[in-house]
Amino acid sequence: MGIDKVIKPDNTAVRTSLWRALHVQTDAKPHVFEDEIGFKLIAPDDDWQERPDMKYTKRLRASIVARARFVEDVAKTEIANGIKQYVLLGAGLDSFAQRNTEISSQVDIYEIDQPDTLAWKEEKLIENGYKISNNLHFVPVDFETSSWWTELLNKGFDTNKKAVVSCTGVTLYLTKEAITDTLKKMTSLAPGSTIAMAFYLPLELLDEEDKPLMEMSIKGAAASGTPFVSFFSVEEITKLADEIGLKEIQTVSTKDMTEKYFKDRTDNLVPASGEFFLVAKT
């Protein structure tokens, strides 16, 4: 008899969820983003807040809640405008479907991620009393060996209907070829679909205070077997999106996010520089 494989979620997905919860539990109100569902599923040890990756990463935590809020704002706007399909590429332990039951009942939600992460998540959601509705589709993909686009179509995604696609925390781990291919696939979405995709600036373009943290992250990622692969300048991504044929191309920087979500805070919480969004239409 073989030993049953223990299914575990991706470390990055876990860390991101814990940062979201830490924001609610330790940062001053108003919270930029409120999400403790992933935290409930993970049920970490009592001393989890003392982990070095929790304790010394305030600016990264702020970035994570900023990007979560930003992509959800984009998705909610598009859904309010009548879009019926929401695709989360690299969904991790995202809980949009569980927190926005009224909105999510109006759309088909497709969560794309690694098989183990999604299997674990589904199991834990059920264990914690969350119902998996018929319009929530888990799309497990081994990004090394299969096409997320093919798997998405296999789950009933309709290319004739407009969609909104969010992609955060993914491009860092993909080659430039894979990213170009992903963006090209996006152009097969129905005209008028919206894409919000996060990219990472190279080390030399970061604010000085964020460089040491990023250097640590780069080393840590390499040591854990998931090295950071791709960094881009804003100009490179804008040019790539334009060449591929995307329309209404905008980029949203850390400074834009700070202005939008972190004004007049009392706790000096500001996101780390380094991440920016491409927002475009097909």
Side-chain angles (χ1 to χ4, degrees):
M1 290 286 288
I3 297 168
D4 283 346
K5 181 173 167 244
V6 177
I7 296 174
K8 285 198 338 209
D10 176 74
N11 282 336
T12 313
V14 169
R15 190 180 301 122
T16 301
S17 274
L18 292 180
W19 273 332
R20 288 177 175 203
L22 193 58
H23 174 57
V24 177
Q25 293 177 20
T26 62
D27 294 328
K29 288 182 173 175
H31 296 131
V32 175
F33 191 76
E34 297 206 2
D35 176 16
E36 293 183 278
I37 290 178
F39 170 76
K40 279 184 202 154
L41 306 189
I42 297 158
D45 296 336
D46 288 348
D47 62 352
W48 69 279
Q49 293 190 9
E50 296 303 309
R51 287 167 41 166
D53 62 350
M54 293 293 127
K55 206 169 177 179
Y56 306 111
T57 50
K58 189 175 178 181
R59 285 167 68 88
L60 282 181
R61 174 169 85 241
S63 303
I64 292 296
V65 295
R67 79 179 188 198
R69 171 70 183 272
F70 178 74
V71 293
E72 285 207 4
D73 283 355
V74 171
K76 284 175 177 173
T77 301
E78 293 307 320
I79 292 164
N81 290 337
I83 275 186
K84 297 290 184 206
Q85 300 184 111
Y86 178 24
V87 179
L88 293 94
L89 188 52
L93 303 184
D94 187 277
S95 60
F96 178 87
Q98 289 76 39
R99 284 176 292 103
N100 300 282
T101 46
E102 199 174 312
I103 301 174
S104 55
S105 64
Q106 306 162 27
V107 283
D108 276 294
I109 297 172
Y110 297 89
E111 296 195 4
I112 303 174
D113 215 314
Q114 298 164 12
D116 277 9
T117 298
L118 290 181
W120 181 91
K121 179 181 186 177
E122 186 169 7
E123 193 179 287
K124 291 291 177 190
L125 281 169
I126 293 164
E127 261 177 38
N128 282 270
Y130 293 99
K131 194 171 164 289
I132 311 287
S133 63
N134 294 335
N135 54 340
L136 175 58
H137 313 276
F138 292 118
V139 187
V141 177
D142 181 335
F143 292 95
E144 300 294 315
T145 57
S146 57
S147 156
W148 65 269
W149 183 253
T150 308
E151 298 300 336
L152 179 61
L153 297 180
N154 288 344
K155 289 285 182 177
F157 180 80
D158 187 346
T159 51
N160 298 311
K161 286 186 188 160
K162 286 196 282 195
V164 56
V165 180
S166 74
C167 177
T168 58
V170 173
T171 58
L172 203 48
Y173 303 100
L174 300 179
T175 62
K176 297 202 174 182
E177 293 72 31
I179 291 164
T180 305
D181 180 60
T182 297
L183 282 169
K184 280 182 178 159
K185 294 273 195 315
M186 304 275 190
T187 61
S188 314
L189 296 166
S193 294
T194 300
I195 295 150
M197 198 169 187
F199 292 91
Y200 297 82
L201 295 167
L203 197 58
E204 65 272 13
L205 295 180
L206 300 191
D207 294 350
E208 275 313 312
E209 63 191 302
D210 292 321
K211 285 180 182 174
L213 199 56
M214 191 54 169
E215 282 171 338
M216 260 171 50
S217 301
I218 291 169
K219 282 185 186 141
S224 65
T226 50
F228 296 162
V229 181
S230 294
F231 299 90
F232 295 88
S233 69
V234 171
E235 293 71 29
E236 277 179 280
I237 284 302
T238 308
K239 185 167 176 272
L240 179 60
D242 187 44
E243 283 168 358
I244 283 165
L246 291 170
K247 305 182 178 84
E248 296 179 39
I249 297 162
Q250 298 169 294
T251 55
V252 178
S253 69
T254 302
K255 297 209 170 24
D256 299 329
M257 297 260 188
T258 306
E259 191 60 24
K260 207 172 165 70
Y261 302 128
F262 294 84
K263 270 177 93 163
D264 308 322
R265 288 193 68 85
T266 55
D267 58 359
N268 198 25
L269 185 71
V270 256
S273 59
E275 194 173 34
F276 67 94
F277 271 93
L278 165 72
V279 183
K281 297 261 188 199
T282 54

